[in-house]
Amino acid sequence: MLRVGELVRHALADVLQRGEVMDPVLEKHVITVPEVRMTPDLKLATAYVMPLGGKDVAKVLKALEANRKQIRMLVVSRLALKSAPDIRFREDESFAEGARIDALLRSPEVSRDLDADGGSEGDDR
């Protein structure tokens, strides 16, 4: 599943990078594809995508869904698979999650706790 997901991810990123889908919304955005998850039967691929800068996510997702059949055929033409997986698109929320965790780590409470732990370790000599 992981290997096929990575193959689909590379093929999808290549299709989007080369601008092979003629859609005005997709042509205006650079779209990253950080992850593709496959179902165990390899019939469904969930592609997590994010436009560069995180702008117009809803418009980009709508354009990808509107061109899903064409994208599927372009991706499958690059792969040697027994069956063509259906592709669905979802917003990649890992960037937002990373920013949230970073903000938590920079919070005064965590800094205070880290400073308190760091000071006590030096006293154990």
Side-chain angles (χ1 to χ4, degrees):
M1 287 185 332
L2 294 174
R3 185 175 62 85
V4 173
E6 193 64 14
L7 290 172
V8 171
R9 186 183 75 81
H10 280 282
L12 178 59
D14 189 48
V15 165
L16 294 174
Q17 178 186 2
R18 293 177 186 269
E20 294 180 31
V21 181
M22 299 302 161
D23 185 283
V25 174
L26 299 178
E27 290 173 357
K28 292 179 187 175
H29 293 87
V30 175
I31 302 168
T32 60
V33 186
E35 183 180 10
V36 173
R37 293 183 189 164
M38 300 296 299
T39 56
D41 61 2
L42 303 179
K43 293 189 186 262
L44 180 64
T46 303
Y48 293 90
V49 298
M50 179 60 73
L52 193 63
K55 297 178 183 174
D56 300 328
V57 176
K59 288 181 183 179
V60 168
L61 287 173
K62 187 176 179 180
L64 288 169
E65 284 295 329
N67 294 288
R68 185 170 57 174
K69 289 181 182 179
Q70 180 187 6
I71 293 170
R72 178 183 181 202
M73 298 320 304
L74 290 167
V75 167
V76 168
S77 68
R78 289 171 163 73
L79 305 174
L81 298 175
K82 289 181 181 178
S83 63
D86 191 24
I87 302 173
R88 64 181 176 185
F89 299 96
R90 300 287 181 261
E91 177 183 356
D92 179 41
E93 296 176 348
S94 63
F95 295 111
E97 184 65 14
R100 186 184 72 80
I101 291 171
D102 191 46
L104 283 173
L105 292 174
R106 293 176 189 263
S107 70
E109 294 84 9
V110 173
S111 296
R112 181 187 65 232
D113 291 345
L114 289 175
D115 289 342
D117 288 343
S120 64
E121 288 178 16
D123 296 337
D124 291 343
R125 291 184 212 178

